[in-house]
Amino acid sequence: MSTAAERAAQLDLVARLKSAYPELPDAPTPDLLDHARIKAYLKPVHDVGGEPDAPMKYENKQYEAWEELTYVICEVLAWRGIWLSEERRRIGNVDVGRAEYLGLPYYGRWLLAVARILVEKHHIALGELSERMAEVQERYADGLNGKKPEAQPKSEGDGSGVKRNAHHKHAVGKGDPQVYAGQAGEPRFRIGDTVTVRDLPVVFYTRTPEYVRGATGTIATVAYESPAAEDETWDRSDAKPEWFYVVEFNMSELWHGYTGTATDTLRTELPERWLKS
């Protein structure tokens, strides 16, 4: 049970999560929005490369038990054909919104992605999940106190009728992306070619970072064939594989006001659809 003061304090805390331009009201009328702001609002939240921020301290910490278990759960779900890894990236890294992306632990987002995929694909009802969470909360109301949490499943499900993707079958013994080898045709670009990254509209998901869109670089490696992230993340069985390339950029040309040497370079991997001569 909560008090009115506790509920008010929680609502105040949530209100501080609002992310908007201070010069704009909530839900602005169209005439108040320009192209740059619309593009910023639509930007996938995991594409943070190049954004101004304070330096982050690097810590080589050991994984905690719950983090390792979360990783295993995600891998098992992929192995059993419940989702693709690109689905997990989108659901855990983009669809959460910027506040959750920046505010939750890395594997905390993975864990939320597990819950969401199981609910969205009708493997568990949201009401059932909420009841089980409340049950576990009550079971460990005083914390673990050094104990390990114990699984207490209500029943063992029958997986024979579960809808699954086929990727976990046709990739066995080959791997991903090797399973797509020979399906993309001849690569459009070769090592040494000069290419420019297209500044395509981005809606919902991409793995092409904003800081290279519109920039010119050089093909360093013709890497492999695979569906582009924009198609693979939706588990499209008809997604056509295309070539991926490692593109090298000169840092002094890539970053405004760069203070390093003129020979510093950066490499990133991009699908063919994002590149033009």
Side-chain angles (χ1 to χ4, degrees), residues 132-253:
R132 291 309 305 272
M133 290 173 66
E135 179 185 316
V136 173
Q137 276 185 313
E138 185 176 348
R139 195 188 311 158
Y140 297 103
D142 298 322
L144 293 177
N145 295 322
K147 299 178 297 183
K148 289 186 177 181
E150 296 181 11
Q152 297 182 12
K154 296 288 188 183
S155 61
E156 184 176 340
D158 178 10
S160 60
V162 173
K163 184 179 179 181
R164 307 173 189 272
N165 64 54
H167 186 73
H168 68 296
K169 294 180 180 179
H170 67 245
V172 169
K174 300 176 183 177
D176 183 3
Q178 293 83 359
V179 66
Y180 298 110
Q183 298 183 31
E186 288 295 315
R188 180 181 174 188
F189 304 106
R190 301 187 182 280
I191 293 175
D193 285 354
T194 298
V195 292
T196 299
V197 184
R198 300 173 67 196
D199 193 9
L200 293 171
V202 173
V203 182
F204 304 134
Y205 191 69
T206 186
R207 299 283 287 178
T208 300
E210 185 175 37
Y211 64 80
V212 299
R213 295 178 213 152
T216 298
T218 304
I219 300 293
T221 305
V222 180
Y224 57 83
E225 300 157 88
S226 178
E230 291 87 348
D231 291 340
E232 188 174 20
T233 189
W234 308 106
D235 192 14
R236 292 183 61 100
S237 59
D238 61 344
K240 186 181 184 303
E242 57 190 86
W243 281 99
F244 277 66
Y245 304 86
V246 176
V247 183
E248 181 175 287
F249 300 90
N250 185 287
M251 298 276 271
S252 63
E253 298 174 0

Side-chain angles (χ1 to χ4, degrees), residues 18 22 29 44 75 168 225 274:
K18 288 198 302 184
T29 55
E75 289 296 293
H168 68 296
E225 300 157 88
W274 278 91

Side-chain angles (χ1 to χ4, degrees), residues 4-199:
E6 288 171 338
R7 293 192 293 274
Q10 179 64 27
L11 289 172
D12 286 342
L13 186 64
V14 172
R16 291 169 55 196
L17 284 173
K18 288 198 302 184
S19 176
Y21 295 104
E23 69 272 17
L24 296 177
D26 290 342
T29 55
D31 61 296
L32 297 178
L33 286 172
D34 56 20
H35 175 73
R37 283 173 175 78
I38 293 174
K39 185 177 179 181
Y41 277 130
L42 295 179
K43 181 179 179 178
V45 297
H46 72 305
D47 185 13
V48 297
E51 292 182 8
D53 200 356
M56 179 179 289
K57 180 182 178 182
Y58 175 77
E59 294 184 83
N60 190 18
K61 66 179 282 292
Q62 294 297 314
Y63 288 128
E64 298 177 15
W66 73 270
E67 294 175 308
E68 292 179 336
L69 290 174
T70 298
Y71 179 85
V72 170
I73 289 172
C74 291
E75 289 296 293
V76 169
L77 287 171
W79 171 56
R80 297 301 298 272
I82 302 301
W83 63 0
L84 300 175
S85 59
E86 206 64 52
E87 280 185 286
R88 192 265 305 152
R89 292 189 184 101
R90 171 178 58 83
I91 294 171
N93 292 347
V94 177
D95 291 351
V96 296
R98 181 167 287 248
E100 286 189 14
Y101 178 80
L102 297 174
L104 292 175
Y106 180 67
Y107 281 107
R109 289 188 275 107
W110 283 42
L111 198 54
L112 277 179
V114 170
R116 181 166 176 176
I117 197 72
L118 294 179
V119 170
E120 284 194 344
K121 297 198 175 183
H122 303 166
H123 300 304
I124 188 172
L126 182 55
E128 179 187 357
L129 178 62
S130 299
E131 290 290 348
R132 291 309 305 272
M133 290 173 66
E135 179 185 316
V136 173
Q137 276 185 313
E138 185 176 348
R139 195 188 311 158
Y140 297 103
D142 298 322
L144 293 177
N145 295 322
K147 299 178 297 183
K148 289 186 177 181
E150 296 181 11
Q152 297 182 12
K154 296 288 188 183
S155 61
E156 184 176 340
D158 178 10
S160 60
V162 173
K163 184 179 179 181
R164 307 173 189 272
N165 64 54
H167 186 73
H168 68 296
K169 294 180 180 179
H170 67 245
V172 169
K174 300 176 183 177
D176 183 3
Q178 293 83 359
V179 66
Y180 298 110
Q183 298 183 31
E186 288 295 315
R188 180 181 174 188
F189 304 106
R190 301 187 182 280
I191 293 175
D193 285 354
T194 298
V195 292
T196 299
V197 184
R198 300 173 67 196
D199 193 9

